[in-house]
Amino acid sequence: MYEKSYPNKRFKHTIEFLKNHIPNTYSILDLGVENPFSEIMKSEGYMVENTKGEDLDIDTSAISNSQVKVVTAFEIFEHLLSPFTVLQSIKANQLIASVPLRLWFSSAYRSKTDMRDRHYHEFEDWQFDWLLEKAGWKIIDRQKWTNPTKKIGIRPLLRWFTPRYYIIYAERV
């Protein structure tokens, strides 16, 4: 999954944010297939169940049938055509979600080899906030951070100053 670069900084920020808001005694439904970050959550004592790879734009049954207290969605909503439907189907009262932010100096991400590894949305923070609000969520806390690279050039320089990731903790209204 991370053949070229392991997202240490993103994972560090994400687990700290999660630990600040959710006790590790809570059960979590993590949207998306099992991945290195779901393993990090488990190593921190969280009881984590992942969705199984179903197309969440079409089939939200795993979400709507879940009895967990918390749903997490880390870099998932940008891949969906209709994240609004997924957000509405969540029965849990707590949500932690992160998205990559739209970078004005870079086009949307699109894998040429994996049809599921494409960004349909790259949000600005206000767009993601609005989506959550319309789907019945109230944002309690939020953070942004950059994702610098060690490359040379104008875009790599801009990545040192331009936030790339946005994470929220929200509760059902």
Side-chain angles (χ1 to χ4, degrees), residues 2-171:
Y2 295 109
E3 299 83 25
K4 295 182 183 176
S5 63
Y6 190 78
N8 289 311
K9 182 178 180 180
R10 177 167 52 103
F11 286 177
K12 179 179 175 276
H13 279 283
T14 304
I15 197 66
E16 287 173 5
F17 192 85
L18 179 67
K19 288 163 63 174
N20 283 339
H21 296 287
I22 306 299
N24 67 359
T25 56
Y26 284 21
S27 56
I28 293 175
L29 175 64
D30 185 35
L31 303 187
V33 296
E34 207 168 303
N35 60 75
F37 193 74
S38 43
E39 293 304 314
I40 290 171
M41 289 191 290
K42 289 175 186 175
S43 74
E44 292 290 334
Y46 291 97
M47 296 165 281
V48 180
E49 174 189 340
N50 285 82
T51 53
K52 306 298 182 220
E54 61 272 37
D55 186 339
L56 296 176
D57 277 317
I58 297 167
D59 180 7
T60 60
S61 60
I63 300 166
S64 55
N65 294 332
S66 178
Q67 300 298 313
V68 298
K69 291 184 176 227
V70 180
V71 168
T72 57
F74 303 117
E75 284 79 57
I76 293 296
F77 292 127
E78 67 274 11
H79 299 277
L80 300 175
L81 298 179
S82 183
F84 180 79
T85 306
V86 172
L87 286 162
Q88 280 194 310
S89 69
I90 295 171
K91 300 294 184 245
N93 289 323
Q94 296 174 299
L95 170 69
I96 293 195
S98 61
V99 293
L101 291 170
R102 182 180 167 275
L103 298 175
W104 57 271
F105 53 85
S106 184
S107 57
Y109 175 73
R110 178 179 155 201
S111 170
K112 295 184 191 304
T113 58
D114 184 353
M115 291 288 293
R116 298 186 84 173
D117 189 21
R118 296 178 174 181
H119 291 185
Y120 186 77
H121 302 278
E122 286 199 346
F123 297 95
E124 292 185 32
D125 56 356
W126 69 267
Q127 291 172 307
F128 194 54
D129 291 354
W130 188 24
L131 172 66
L132 290 161
E133 177 186 315
K134 298 266 300 183
W137 295 92
K138 178 182 180 189
I139 297 173
I140 308 299
D141 192 16
R142 57 178 59 101
Q143 285 182 6
K144 294 183 204 176
W145 64 89
T146 61
N147 190 42
T149 65
K150 292 184 168 104
K151 296 178 181 175
I152 297 172
I154 298 297
R155 285 194 278 184
L157 177 66
L158 291 170
R159 289 180 188 273
W160 282 87
F161 307 103
T162 307
R164 177 60 173 151
Y165 294 103
Y166 182 51
I167 192 167
I168 60 88
Y169 166 65
E171 295 179 353

